[in-house]
């Protein structure tokens, strides 16, 4: 059992605000990435973890509940905004409608997740008290999923209700260190961080690695890095031949020093959330660390935008489906998870949200909807690209505080 403190340091709070206001939480997923409402986190979302009343041991036992799935043909699903397919009218959700028609299970679908920390603040009082949150299925980013599992606040999944998920989950997502074998979670989508560039702005210059961004004199002042610590520092570690999945304090310090050198000489224009997209499209930024979802959207409007996956690899995070303790409709929720691991529904979802699809065997179905998306390795990675993906290992609270403080000093947050 963990006894680590669960309060957030000033650097961690700053990192959360950075992510919410200018990172993956900044814009609509359809127009670029996640929608947000600006002031909610500043009003107290980031502080939600500081007094959350978690038991001293840091973990309780998983608490199931009587499953009412047979009698109550419904499921309540909390998700991010713009993270579900809609039809041209914007009023219908085709895959959810098809699920209801097939199973008779009505989905109460709510887009009430704008930010991981803010959402955790909504549900933690009930979870800590062993009470029903009113939700059968939630979708949160890997670091929060890890925390919920560690606390014992989500239910172990019944594999017998997840035949498609078990069979079709892509290898690269099968066994994160925070949920080995996916006993408690299944990924909704993957979020890669790669190197993007504006071909016109490079004017014939080739970029193949993070070293090119940090060292090439012709790019001085025309490079941006992400304000997400795990993405930027993960790529820096990979560039130095280190594995972010096994990072040590010494490794991290060396990577910080490597990037600091580039910052000190004016190579890096700034650290950004996805607000780099406008500068990249205009050519004010020639090359940057970027999220794949941005790249896919930008390429649709600007043929000069392209990306490269360094030979050393790239970083990937995931958003993940979990069933909270005391959920009334666990089996219905598991059926919904499994449904989105069928190639047909998975393809329709991937065609809409343009992120890495974690479902094997989806390419042929996606090609019927959007041939370009089916061939885009940022949506359907081939084996070579999938083999280059890396995730930052789970950090203890002490480690996360130390790493975020060092990164905040580097990035000027």
């Amino acid at each position: 059992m963990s006894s680590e403190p669960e309060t957030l340091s000033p650097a961690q709070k700053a990192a959360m605000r950075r992510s919410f206001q200018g990172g993956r939480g900044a814009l609509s997923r359809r127009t670029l990435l996640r929608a947000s409402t600006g002031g909610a986190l500043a009003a107290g979302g980031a502080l939600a973890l500081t007094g959350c009343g978690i038991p001293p041991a840091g973990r309780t036992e998983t608490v199931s509940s009587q499953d009412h799935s047979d009698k109550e043909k419904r499921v309540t699903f909390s998700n991010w905004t713009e993270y579900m397919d809609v039809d041209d009218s914007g009023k219908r959700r085709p895959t959810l409608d098809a699920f209801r028609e097939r199973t008779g299970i009505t989905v109460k679908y709510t887009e009430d997740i704008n930010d991981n920390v803010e959402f955790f603040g909504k549900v933690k009082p009930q979870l800590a008290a062993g009470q029903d949150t009113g939700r059968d299925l939630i979708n949160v980013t890997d670091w929060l999923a890890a925390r919920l599992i560690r606390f014992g606040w989500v239910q172990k999944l019944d594999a017998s209700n997840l035949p498609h998920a078990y069979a079709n989950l892509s290898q690269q997502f099968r066994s994160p260190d925070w949920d080995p074998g996916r006993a408690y979670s299944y990924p909704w989508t993957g979020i890669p961080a790669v190197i993007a560039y504006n071909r016109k702005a490079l004017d014939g210059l080739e970029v193949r690695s993070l070293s090119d961004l940090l060292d090439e004199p012709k790019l001085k002042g025309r490079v941006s890095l992400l304000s997400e610590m795990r993405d930027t520092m993960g790529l820096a570690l990979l560039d130095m031949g280190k594995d972010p999945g096994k990072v040590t304090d010494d490794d991290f310090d060396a990577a910080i020093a490597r990037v600091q050198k580039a910052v000190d000489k004016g190579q890096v224009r700034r650290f950004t959330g996805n607000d780099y997209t406008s500068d990249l499209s205009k050519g004010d930024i020639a090359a940057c660390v970027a999220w794949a979802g941005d790249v896919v959207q930008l390429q649709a409007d600007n043929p000069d935008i392209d990306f490269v996956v360094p030979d050393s690899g790239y970083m990937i995070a995931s958003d993940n489906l979990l069933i909270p303790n005391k959920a009334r409709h666990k089996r219905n929720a598991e059926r919904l998870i499994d449904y989105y691991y069928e190639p047909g529904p998975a393809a329709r979802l991937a065609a809409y949200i343009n992120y890495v699809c974690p479902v094997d065997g989806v390419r042929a179905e996606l090609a019927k909807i959007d041939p370009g998306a089916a061939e885009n390795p940022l949506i359907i990675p081939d084996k070579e690209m999938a083999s280059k993906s890396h995730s930052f290992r789970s950090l203890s609270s002490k480690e996360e505080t130390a790493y975020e403080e060092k990164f905040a000093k580097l990035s000027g947050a």
Side-chain angles (χ1 to χ4, degrees):
M1 291 186 180
S2 168
S3 59
E4 64 188 33
E6 292 299 336
T7 57
L8 296 182
S9 71
Q12 286 174 295
K13 293 173 188 175
M16 299 302 181
R17 291 190 182 96
R18 213 164 52 235
S19 174
F20 185 53
Q21 295 170 346
R24 290 206 303 266
L27 301 173
S28 156
R29 281 196 176 274
R30 193 54 181 163
T31 56
L32 280 178
L33 287 172
R34 293 179 183 152
S36 77
T37 53
L41 185 65
L47 303 178
L49 299 185
T50 62
C52 57
I54 293 166
R59 178 176 175 86
T60 59
E61 293 303 316
T62 297
V63 180
S64 61
S65 178
Q66 182 179 355
D67 194 349
H68 299 268
S69 292
D70 286 337
K71 294 182 178 179
E72 299 175 0
K73 305 291 284 186
R74 60 180 182 269
V75 61
T76 300
F77 180 12
S78 283
N79 204 356
W80 297 80
T81 54
E82 298 293 335
Y83 222 9
M84 180 66 72
D85 57 303
V86 299
D87 66 5
D88 291 339
S89 73
K91 297 179 180 179
R92 294 183 64 254
R93 303 188 183 279
T95 56
L96 287 179
D97 291 344
F99 177 77
R100 183 190 68 248
E101 291 167 5
R102 181 201 295 184
T103 64
I105 298 170
T106 299
V107 181
K108 181 182 178 183
Y109 182 75
T110 307
E111 294 181 334
D112 62 343
I113 305 179
N114 289 313
D115 168 75
N116 287 288
V117 177
E118 181 192 36
F119 180 71
F120 184 75
K122 290 180 183 179
V123 298
K124 59 91 178 174
Q126 295 97 328
L127 291 173
Q131 298 171 352
D132 181 10
T133 65
R135 299 167 175 87
D136 300 304
L137 191 63
I138 61 175
N139 187 10
V140 298
T141 305
D142 43 21
W143 69 265
L144 181 54
R147 180 170 294 200
L148 294 174
I149 293 169
R150 188 168 70 245
F151 294 164
W153 288 356
V154 293
Q155 297 189 54
K156 192 170 184 178
L157 300 173
D158 184 345
S160 67
N161 294 327
L162 296 157
H164 297 98
Y166 183 81
N168 296 336
L169 177 60
S170 298
Q171 186 63 41
Q172 72 180 115
F173 295 104
R174 279 194 175 268
S175 197
D177 66 351
W178 47 269
D179 187 17
R182 291 288 181 179
Y184 294 89
S185 68
Y186 270 92
W188 181 250
T189 194
I191 308 167
V194 296
I195 292 175
Y197 59 87
N198 184 312
R199 190 179 292 104
K200 186 175 181 180
L202 287 180
D203 193 25
L205 186 67
E206 185 178 26
V207 294
R208 300 294 306 172
S209 69
L210 189 68
S211 289
D212 293 332
L213 271 63
L214 299 181
D215 298 331
E216 172 55 56
K218 293 180 180 179
L219 292 179
K220 183 176 181 179
R222 298 196 297 149
V223 168
S224 69
L225 305 177
L226 288 174
S227 57
E228 289 277 357
M229 180 271 288
R230 287 169 175 81
D231 290 330
T232 291
M233 298 315 301
L235 284 172
L237 287 161
L238 289 170
D239 193 64
M240 297 171 66
K242 302 294 184 179
D243 182 357
K246 300 176 181 177
V247 60
T248 66
D249 292 349
D250 288 344
D251 292 339
F252 189 81
D253 288 346
I256 286 283
R258 171 81 174 90
V259 180
Q260 185 71 59
K261 182 178 178 181
V263 170
D264 290 345
K265 68 181 181 181
Q267 187 77 7
V268 178
R269 184 186 185 102
R270 61 193 179 107
F271 289 77
T272 75
N274 55 10
D275 49 327
Y276 64 83
T277 53
S278 177
D279 285 345
L280 179 63
S281 188
K282 290 185 296 185
D284 293 339
I285 289 175
C288 62
V289 176
W291 286 306
D294 286 348
V295 177
V296 173
Q297 297 287 341
L298 289 173
Q299 285 178 321
D301 299 317
N302 187 340
D304 289 324
I305 302 301
D306 209 343
F307 74 97
V308 63
V309 175
D311 289 339
S312 58
Y314 66 99
M315 297 302 295
I316 193 163
S318 59
D319 286 333
N320 307 272
L321 301 171
L322 303 100
I323 299 175
N325 284 352
K326 305 295 279 187
R328 287 180 61 88
H329 311 106
K330 180 175 184 285
R331 188 154 57 85
N332 289 346
E334 289 168 337
R335 292 183 69 182
L336 185 59
I337 295 172
D338 196 61
Y339 169 75
Y340 280 105
Y341 274 81
E342 296 179 25
R348 289 190 286 275
L349 184 66
Y352 184 82
I353 64 176
N354 293 157
Y355 281 83
V356 169
C357 179
V359 182
D360 278 344
V362 77
R363 187 187 302 275
E365 290 295 325
L366 184 56
K368 299 175 185 177
I369 304 169
D370 186 340
E375 297 304 317
N376 191 329
L378 297 181
I379 299 174
I380 307 293
D382 56 24
K383 288 184 178 180
E384 180 182 4
M385 182 162 179
S387 70
K388 291 183 176 182
S389 70
H390 296 264
S391 296
F392 215 98
R393 72 168 173 83
S394 297
L395 299 176
S396 69
S397 288
K398 182 178 179 181
E399 288 174 324
E400 186 166 1
T401 296
Y403 287 15
E404 285 288 5
E405 286 177 347
K406 292 173 182 178
F407 184 70
K409 183 177 179 181
L410 168 70
S411 62

